[in-house]
Each structure stands twice: as C-alpha cells, then as structure tokens.
Amino acid sequence: MKHFIYLLILLFTNNFFGQKKYPKDYFMPPLDIPIVLSGTFGELRSNHFHSGIDIKTQGKEGLKVLASASGYVSRIKVQQYGYGKAIYVTHPNGYTSVYGHLSKFSSEIERYVKAIQYKKKAYQTGNIYPKKNKFIIKKGDVIAFSGDTGGSGGPHLHFEIRDTKTENIINPMLFGILPKDDRLPVINSLHVYPISSDARINNQFNAHKLAIKNIGKGTYIADKITASGTIGFGINTFDRLNFAPNKNGVFSIEMLVNGTRYYYHDVTTFSFAESKYLNLLIDYEYYKKYRSRIQRTFKVPANKLSIYKGLINDGKINIKENLNYTITFLVKDFKGNTSSLKIPVFGKVSNTIFKEPKTTTNYKITANKFHKFTLNNVTIAFPKNTFYEDIYLDFDVLDGVAQVHTPTVPLDKKFTLTFNVSNYSEAEKKQLYIANTTNKKYPKYELTRKKDTTFFTTTKTLGNYELLSDNHNPKVKIMYFKNNQWISKFNTLKVKISDIGSGIKNWNATLDGVWILMEYNHKKGILTYNFNDKKLIGSKHEFKISVSDNVGNTTTATKTFFKKQSK
C-alpha cells in the first residue's frame, strides 16, 4: 500500500512539474494580429529542423514586433542570409526569445545598429552583444518591425524560445502561443524497407512504396503485405492549420506493432548541434532523387537525435513466419488532432534468393579514418567521420569535371576539394572559380580559396565539381531617375544589380565621397540606401557605386542628382 501511495505521489509530482516546466502565461504573442503559421516548430527543412514558428504577417512588411516578455536585448545580428535582421531578448525566467527576418529595429536600437554598420562600413554586423542595461525591454514593447530579410521565402516573423543556458530550442507552442487548429494531419505515402540480409517484402529484397487509402476522418489503410526478416517503415506526412494552405510539419509520429509501441518521436525540443541528424531521420537518397521527405520510423546507428522516446529494437520489426501483424501509425499535430494508418503484415518466408550487387571501387572509405585521393590534378580529402558509415566511393575526373560520388549520401563534415591550376596563366587563374555543376543548367559558385598553384574549397555536398571561368562584369542600374535630375521627394536610392557568372560578392557606395550603407535584397537583386541615414549639405550630390563578383570583375556606376539640403 505504501508503495502504491508512493507511486501516486511520484506520478502527481512529475505531472505537476511537467506542467510547470513551460509557463503558459509568461510569453505573449509577438504580433498583435491573429496567430496564423506558415511554418511549425521542428518541421523538416534542408539539412535541419525548423527551430521556431513562422508567423504570417498578412503578406505585409512593417508590422510591429512586440517583446514577448520583459527582459533585455542580449544579442542583435544583421546578416545577408539566415535570419536576416534578428534580435534576441533574454528574460529573467531562464529563456531567450528570438525574432528573425525583421525589416528594421525600433528607433533606438536601429540607431545603435546603424552606428556600428557605418563604423565597420559593412551591412553584415556579425553578432552584437549590447550591455545588459543598454536596452531594457518590457513585455509588449515594440522592439522591431516585421520583414522579409535573410533567407526568408516571403514576409513573415520567425519566432523562437530558447533555454538561455543551453541554447536548446523549445517549441513555442508549449508556452501557450497557439494558433487555431482543428485540422487532421495528412498521410501522403508509406514506405517499407528490408533491413536484414534475409529480409523479404512481397518476395523481393528492395524498398516498397505501399498503396494507401484514406477512408475518412483521418483514417488510412494499406493493402496487406507479406514479409520476413527485419524490416522498417517510413512515412511522408504533413499538417495544415486553420486559415492557411501551408504544408506544415507534424508534432509526433508513433508506430505500434500489434498494439505495442515500437517507435515514437516528437518535436518538443532539440539542440542546434543535433539538427543535422535530420538527414539520418529521413530517407536521404529518396529525398535527393524525388524531393520528398520520408521520415523513417527506425533508427540507424549513427543517428544521435534526442527526439526519440522508448524505442523497441530501434523501431525495427522482426517478422516471424506464419504470424500476423498489424502495424499502426499515429500522426499527431500539437493540438492532438490525430490521423492513423494501419498496415496488415503476414510473415511469409520467401524461397527466392537475391544477391545484393557488391559495390566496390578503388576508393574505399572507412568512416572513422582520414582519407585523401588524387586523380588527374584533383585531390579530395575527407576528415575522420565525414561519412556516417563505410562506403565505396565513386571518384573520377573526366574532361576537367571531378565526379565525387553522388549527392544522395549525407555527410557529417565538410571535405576538401583541390584543383591543381599550375597549367593556367595568371590571367586565366584570376577569372577561374570552383563550381558545383551537378545541375549543369545552374552551376553553383563554391567559396574558392586561391593559392599559387592550387584552388580549393570545402563542402558537405557530394557531386560534380569543375573550374569555370567568369569574364563578365556585374550589371548595375541606378533606378528611377536620370542624371542631373531633381529627386526631392525620394526617400531612398535603389540600385538593381546582377551577375551571370560567379555571383555578387560585395559592393561599395558613396554619396558625395562618403561611404553609405546600402542594404541588399538578394531575392530581388536590389540595393537600397535610406536618405534618413545622412544629412545632405547643399542641393547637388554625386552617387557612386562599385559592385564586384566573386572573381573580382567590377562595375562602377555614377549619377548626379539634386535634392534639397536636409534640415
């Protein structure tokens, strides 16, 4: 009896502290509009989990961004990609809130940041850490304005809540910031994989995409399959919330085998360091080929994700002969809306013998060792544990193209790719750069470091690489006014820039010979200067801009204009 009472007390205590772990009334929504999401916490992105929620801003920029709770501004960052303009507020309860893709900061913070940008003569600031008493913030204060800066795909506010000490990211919905959602998750497809060498699925030794049927109210069924040996499953699923068509991530996926839970994960919290293991959660090869993410409900050995809970046999199912199995998937969103999928499986040993083709090449990779290979003036070097498992690497150099395996294999670390350029003249070397040409139609510039006889780059992507030459200057067009024109009503100067070769690297603009800050919207290819940054003296002014690409080709444009002297 005492033991039973102890268990009840322990259960009550755990539930009590579980409820108190994330305060529901401490943080307020960071926008004063209905919360509608275009992205949920933990949904699958390219090489990482989404680390916050994306709040729709009704297609607009410039909405007031409010401090979700009282605290102080602990970090500010302006970068070309990533979160763009971002602000971090540290709160006394041990959490930090993050606001990204902003158009600008509140006036006092904006002046502070611009002073740093003008001092550095650079748009990107890196991390700025103001003193704790520099910007004291109260809950509901306007700290910034929403925008579309950085790697945003359209106007919205990226919002995060982190543990201040560990920097682990936590699902903001756990703090009571909840959109309306009564819609069921959608199950798109189901895949089954042979894992052991003796595994067979419908008498075959290969992965299958199974036909599924939606019979209504979030209930799906699949046709019966036969199997033997150790198998695993993968599922493609998404969730839609109210008032938005976006395909968002789900909160949890659970797999039951004859009623016993074999697999479960949810996106409550994770660290930035583990986010890369998303590439081991999904069927990475399938994703690279078909751009569809299948979440595998079995865990591979190298996967270090912390999101799994209570796996049996790492989610792998050992199918016995002549036994019936019912595999059930439960897919939930944060609100608990649930869709289910059932698959009947019958254990049947196949007499068909399949021999796996043995893939061998001259370039064997042992994952926990350093490897370096050279062929036809190209060298590739892989640090220890670049690969998640041992592999035979395909490596060849044909007509100057370095074929480094295929991009269907995920890497944990960057490898180094080096071209010997001793046969090129100095003039030729100046125009050369390394490009990823796996997609021949859209070569991608790789950061190229140049030495006298070698060029090298580091990358986490396998595929084709070659040296390309860029002899084209960037295009530069000063917009909306002609030379010697009065532009007194203009609030900004805008310049359209583009490059068809190695891509834009940097730009430098002056107004009457003094450096000015021009913000670059890389999605539209437009540089913008705000006249509020600098007081104008006199009425005649000269604007000059120089734009360079990644190999140093440069274009300079100038225009003279007339604008009344600033007050």
Side-chain angles (χ1 to χ4, degrees), residues 40-58:
T40 51
F41 181 84
E43 69 184 21
L44 311 181
R45 299 287 177 90
S46 180
N47 301 313
H48 69 284
F49 293 98
H50 187 223
S51 58
I53 56 175
D54 288 341
I55 306 174
K56 285 178 171 286
T57 56
Q58 301 172 342

Side-chain angles (χ1 to χ4, degrees), residues 88 130 144 163 194 217 223 251 268 313 327 332 356 403 426 442 473 507 550:
Y88 300 66
D163 182 294
K217 296 182 179 179
D223 292 337
F251 177 71
T268 297
N313 195 31
I327 314 299
K332 297 182 181 181
E356 282 191 85
Q403 302 171 350
E426 292 301 315
Y442 299 104
N473 289 340
W507 58 91
N550 279 292

Side-chain angles (χ1 to χ4, degrees), residues 102 110 200 202 293 302 315 319 350 414 449 478 488 546 554:
L102 308 169
E110 184 79 2
R200 300 291 183 268
N202 290 341
R293 293 184 177 94
I319 303 296
S350 171
K414 290 183 177 183
R449 298 173 175 88
I478 302 172
S488 295
S546 295
T554 301

